[in-house]
Amino acid sequence: MSRTVMARARATLRFSVQRYPPLFYLLVISLWCVSLDGMFGVLDGGRGLTFSLDLLHVALSIWGVGYFMRIVDELRDYEYDLVHNPGRGLAKGDVTFGDLYVVLGLNAAVLLGTNLAVSWVRAAILLGIMVHALVLWALEKHWVAYQRSMFLMIGIAIQLHVGHGLFVWVAHAERTGTTVNPNGLLAILGMVFLYLHWEVMRKTAWPGTTKPGEKLYSDEVGSTASAVIAFAMMAGAVGLYLWLTAGWLFLLPLGMAVINLTLFFKNRRPRAFSGRLAALSYFALLLVTIGFASR
């Protein structure tokens, strides 16, 4: 019996590392948390970025709830993966639904327990994020309009990203002993726009350059409109951060997005190229924010 349990645990761990590489996501999420927290510090009156064990706990909590969301995504995509990604662990049978249900339960217990010890508000936000991820799973199984529209999907799913921002916002106020700054909502909105830039651009392509079965935003509104929407999201993020800080270095990621849009129209390469450039713009804005908050 114990050998079976250990074998299932090892299989689940291998699956988790493959689908949610821990070091990569911890790095990305840490950059995101530090940049947003630093922006909240700037908005508080110039405190800027201050590292602490609590900020590390915040980053680990966002990383943990991101893992929860990824597992839900794997469960949600099971039927799609059977056809289009049969080599993935759940579709191939390396792990079972039962294995992943156990992971979800343990993950939720650790996240809620460690955050309840600090703040019931933080725990409530994390619980809301996890419940929303499960609601998205139900919507994809039972709501036809949601299944068909990428824009409807992201319009509802983006609330997960909003929840992440609210978590960092509340944690920053609790750590610094201040009230939440209303302008923090604009900083969160900027991060939402930044994510949408990357998300839409990486799933925008010209006809004839995609694989069968791919779901793309450009399928709904056309390649031109989809690319322009992606660019508008970056412009919105940069515009908000310029308005909040008057830091002209925020124009750097916008310039990178201009180059990406230009190349997208000029070269008409497969979407992977524009997706990588959008990711570079994403990281550029995070790094500019961290630099600005560290002065």
Side-chain angles (χ1 to χ4, degrees), residues 20-282:
Y20 193 73
L23 293 179
F24 172 77
Y25 280 100
L26 187 58
L27 173 62
V28 173
I29 288 169
S30 294
L31 284 175
W32 185 85
C33 288
V34 167
S35 63
L36 186 56
D37 187 83
M39 179 59 71
F40 292 145
V42 170
L43 296 177
D44 283 346
R47 285 191 186 92
L49 184 60
T50 303
F51 293 100
S52 65
L53 288 177
D54 185 69
L55 183 54
L56 175 61
H57 181 229
V58 167
L60 289 172
S61 296
I62 297 293
W63 177 80
V65 82
Y67 176 55
F68 184 97
M69 290 159 47
R70 172 51 59 87
I71 295 300
V72 174
D73 282 346
E74 294 297 322
L75 292 167
R76 188 179 67 200
D77 293 341
Y78 172 70
E79 293 181 0
Y80 178 87
D81 287 342
L82 284 175
V83 177
H84 300 285
N85 300 298
R88 289 187 179 174
L90 185 59
K92 193 166 59 172
D94 291 342
V95 293
T96 66
F97 272 65
D99 295 331
L100 299 187
Y101 290 151
V102 171
V103 169
L104 291 180
L106 292 174
N107 182 292
V110 171
L111 283 174
L112 296 178
T114 56
N115 278 277
L116 271 174
V118 179
S119 164
W120 71 266
V121 180
R122 298 191 205 183
I125 294 172
L126 290 178
L127 179 61
I129 292 171
M130 291 185 282
V131 169
H132 191 67
L134 295 173
V135 169
L136 295 180
W137 185 12
L139 290 178
E140 187 154 339
K141 287 180 69 69
H142 303 293
W143 190 13
V144 175
Y146 183 84
Q147 296 167 2
R148 291 176 177 173
S149 174
M150 292 285 288
F151 281 101
L152 180 59
M153 282 185 182
I154 193 59
I156 298 175
I158 196 61
Q159 305 313 316
L160 296 168
H161 211 66
V162 174
H164 296 161
L166 292 176
F167 182 83
V168 179
W169 190 37
V170 168
H172 174 86
E174 291 178 340
R175 184 186 320 113
T176 57
T178 60
T179 58
V180 289
N181 188 327
N183 281 334
L185 290 174
L186 297 179
I188 294 171
L189 183 59
M191 285 295 179
V192 169
F193 284 162
L194 179 63
Y195 174 82
L196 288 173
H197 165 71
W198 171 73
E199 166 67 13
V200 176
M201 198 65 197
R202 76 188 183 96
K203 294 181 181 177
T204 294
W206 294 105
T209 66
T210 60
K211 299 176 183 178
E214 285 186 305
K215 291 183 177 180
L216 303 171
Y217 295 99
S218 50
D219 291 340
E220 293 185 47
V221 297
S223 304
T224 298
S226 189
V228 170
I229 289 170
F231 176 78
M233 293 297 101
M234 177 58 81
V238 170
L240 283 171
Y241 275 46
L242 277 173
W243 188 80
L244 290 171
T245 67
W248 295 106
L249 269 179
F250 285 105
L251 290 174
L252 173 62
L254 182 63
M256 296 170 67
V258 169
I259 294 172
N260 193 2
L261 187 68
T262 302
L263 292 176
F264 180 79
F265 286 118
K266 181 179 179 180
N267 298 335
R268 302 201 171 200
R269 297 184 182 182
R271 67 185 180 91
F273 180 74
S274 53
R276 286 193 293 269
L277 291 182
L280 290 176
S281 299
Y282 182 102

